Amino acid sequence: MTIAATKIEAILYLKGKPLSIGEIAEYAACDRATAEEGIIELIDEYARRETALEVVETSSGYCLQVRSDYQDLVQTLIPVELGVGALRTLAAIALHNPIRQSDLINVRGSGAYQHVQELVEQGFVRKRRDGESRSYSLQVTPKFNQYFQIEQLPQPFITRQEERQLELDFQPQAEAS
């Protein structure tokens, strides 16, 4: 591999985001033609090596990334970053699983719309049109259970009325003499 290609490899690795040819040339202190040649050489080299990494062109530029075959491994090893609000929204969905989005908004406020979108994108929540209303039905996915290592969510708590009824049903009867 040429010195230019090796230097570009280091740049792509260190920047960790897509870079245009112009940016690569600037960081590598070379002209655009040399940067283009280095990128082509890197793409070819990674394709021949059959490693877990690849150099790809995206709409934002060129980047060094993990091959799509290993995305499940990436999701397992790199923790998802969720804010406190999104975690609270996720907890509300999990506790009422499933829950209508309109009911969730009543509980969590309008900020939950953004949380739901983030949770769906992360794969923790499934969003489906509820046939009974105009709202969506939200429920946690198997990824939620796997990520948080939950085998089964607790059943909803029984209400006080149900509890009193259970007490009445189990009252010992007076023994007949």
Side-chain angles (χ1 to χ4, degrees), residues 75-95 97 115 118-120 122-126 139-154:
Q75 295 300 322
T76 302
L77 296 176
I78 297 177
V80 174
E81 291 188 27
L82 294 174
V84 173
L87 281 172
R88 288 181 178 164
T89 298
L90 181 57
I93 295 168
L95 287 173
N97 193 41
H115 300 155
E118 182 181 346
L119 294 168
V120 168
Q122 295 280 351
F124 291 122
V125 172
R126 184 177 304 121
Q139 66 185 83
V140 295
T141 63
K143 179 180 178 178
F144 167 85
N145 296 328
Q146 179 185 12
Y147 185 82
F148 291 100
Q149 299 177 354
I150 298 172
E151 290 183 24
Q152 182 178 357
L153 290 172

Side-chain angles (χ1 to χ4, degrees), residues 109-142:
S110 63
Y113 284 115
Q114 180 62 35
H115 300 155
V116 167
Q117 181 180 346
E118 182 181 346
L119 294 168
V120 168
E121 288 171 3
Q122 295 280 351
F124 291 122
V125 172
R126 184 177 304 121
K127 181 177 175 179
R128 292 191 177 150
R129 182 63 73 182
D130 188 350
E132 299 173 14
S133 72
R134 293 183 353 186
S135 186
Y136 287 97
S137 176
L138 306 171
Q139 66 185 83
V140 295
T141 63

Side-chain angles (χ1 to χ4, degrees), residues 10-166:
I11 291 166
L12 293 176
Y13 173 78
L14 293 170
K15 290 306 272 181
K17 65 177 186 175
L19 299 172
S20 68
I21 289 291
E23 291 171 313
I24 293 168
E26 183 181 330
Y27 290 125
C30 65
D31 59 34
R32 289 179 61 90
T34 304
E36 287 173 353
E37 289 170 12
I39 284 290
I40 291 169
E41 185 179 345
L42 276 176
I43 291 171
D44 184 53
E45 180 69 27
Y46 275 92
R48 277 190 282 118
R49 280 198 252 162
E50 296 183 21
T51 66
L53 300 176
E54 63 184 346
V55 176
V56 296
E57 182 180 9
T58 69
S59 59
S60 305
Y62 294 91
C63 66
L64 179 65
Q65 67 181 25
V66 175
R67 289 187 193 276
S68 59
D69 297 350
Y70 298 96
Q71 286 303 314
D72 289 342
L73 182 61
V74 170
Q75 295 300 322
T76 302
L77 296 176
I78 297 177
V80 174
E81 291 188 27
L82 294 174
V84 173
L87 281 172
R88 288 181 178 164
T89 298
L90 181 57
I93 295 168
L95 287 173
H96 296 93
N97 193 41
I99 185 173
R100 282 197 313 255
Q101 185 167 315
S102 57
D103 294 336
L104 177 68
I105 300 307
N106 289 336
V107 172
R108 294 284 303 134
S110 63
Y113 284 115
Q114 180 62 35
H115 300 155
V116 167
Q117 181 180 346
E118 182 181 346
L119 294 168
V120 168
E121 288 171 3
Q122 295 280 351
F124 291 122
V125 172
R126 184 177 304 121
K127 181 177 175 179
R128 292 191 177 150
R129 182 63 73 182
D130 188 350
E132 299 173 14
S133 72
R134 293 183 353 186
S135 186
Y136 287 97
S137 176
L138 306 171
Q139 66 185 83
V140 295
T141 63
K143 179 180 178 178
F144 167 85
N145 296 328
Q146 179 185 12
Y147 185 82
F148 291 100
Q149 299 177 354
I150 298 172
E151 290 183 24
Q152 182 178 357
L153 290 172
Q155 297 303 310
F157 300 105
I158 58 175
T159 64
R160 285 280 169 222
Q161 180 63 31
E162 291 170 324
E163 197 171 89
R164 274 188 252 124
Q165 184 61 43
L166 287 174

